[in-house]
């Protein structure tokens, strides 16, 4: 398969067959990472979507992004998902630089996660396909100056985080709400352990931006070894014969009776919760 002309099909196979659990965790971390940019974290705090309706926001984001993966950009489902994503983002004054940074996290963070914890590393074809897939998404969202290669995405992410990671009270509230959401998927008695384990997977710049005390070195080493051990066990399993998509994840809890893509996401009301209904540089296309 050609990693450029068949990029989204290769990406779908990678996500749904090779690494469904890893991509779920990695994309959670990718979105979480964006909160540490104060302009992003502050806006998310003002909308209250991730603090007051954490589960629904998590579900909607996962389902919209994965509809594109499962069905393709040019399918009815893919076009509906991109349209909903664009309409939501267009309601806020989000800079092109912030939009491009979020796109970079979708390319870079999964590769880093899988290289560290997956049952194997991504192949060169898979890396190129992921890059092309998200370049296509970026173009359909109207994002400008998108990197052209994985290396450029990585350099863009690193430079943006070095320049912009920092403390914001609202962003910390969004981070805390997200950690609470993840802990809520398990028995309540495990919440402190799960919070510590999650923090142990974060790098120091992210911990500093949110002003979290870093876990003890022994705790960090134990947690990371445990996640790597999972990857080594998965390596022994037979190949997956059926795809696994985000809508099948047990963490998705908001729609026990089903859902329609066109009804997912937020519908911001002008003047409420940080919604100016303008987009200064037009980076969220129709």
């Amino acid at each position: 398969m050609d990693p450029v002309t068949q990029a989204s099909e290769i990406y779908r196979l990678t996500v749904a067959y090779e690494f469904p659990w890893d991509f779920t965790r990695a994309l959670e971390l990718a979105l979480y990472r964006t909160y540490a940019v104060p302009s992003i974290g502050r806006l998310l705090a003002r909308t209250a979507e991730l603090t007051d309706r954490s589960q629904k926001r998590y579900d909607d984001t996962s389902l919209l992004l994965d509809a594109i993966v499962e069905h393709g950009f040019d399918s009815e489902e893919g076009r509906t998902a991109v349209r909903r994503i664009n309409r939501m983002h267009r309601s806020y004054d989000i800079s092109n630089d912030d939009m491009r940074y979020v796109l970079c996290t979708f390319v870079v963070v999964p590769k880093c996660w899988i290289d560290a914890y997956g049952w194997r590393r991504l192949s060169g074809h898979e890396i190129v396909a992921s890059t092309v897939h998200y370049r296509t998404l970026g173009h359909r969202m109207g994002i400008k100056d998108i990197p052209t290669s994985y290396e450029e995405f990585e350099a863009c992410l690193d430079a943006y985080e070095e320049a912009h990671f920092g403390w914001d009270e609202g962003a910390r509230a969004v981070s805390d709400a997200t950690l609470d959401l993840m802990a809520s998927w398990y028995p309540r008695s495990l919440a402190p352990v799960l919070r510590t384990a999650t923090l142990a997977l974060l790098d120091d710049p992210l911990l500093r931006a949110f002003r979290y005390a870093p876990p003890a070195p022994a705790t960090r080493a134990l947690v990371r070894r445990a996640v790597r051990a999972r990857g080594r066990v998965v390596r022994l399993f037979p190949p997956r014969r059926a795809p696994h998509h985000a809508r099948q994840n047990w963490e998705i809890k908001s729609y026990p009776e089903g859902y329609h893509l066109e009804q997912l996401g937020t519908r911001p009301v002008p003047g409420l919760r940080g919604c100016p209904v303008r987009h200064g540089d037009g980076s969220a296309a129709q």
Side-chain angles (χ1 to χ4, degrees), residues 149 197 236:
S149 66
L236 304 176

Side-chain angles (χ1 to χ4, degrees), residues 5 9 12 37-38 47-48 58 61 63 65 89 105-106 154 176 181 187 194-195 212 218 233 244 264 279 283:
T5 61
E9 176 61 11
R12 183 186 69 83
V37 175
T47 68
Y58 172 89
T61 300
L63 293 171
L65 288 172
H89 287 92
T105 68
F106 293 165
E154 187 176 52
D176 287 339
L181 170 66
L194 291 167
R195 182 184 176 91
Y212 289 131
V233 170
H244 182 94
L264 298 181
H279 202 294
S283 65

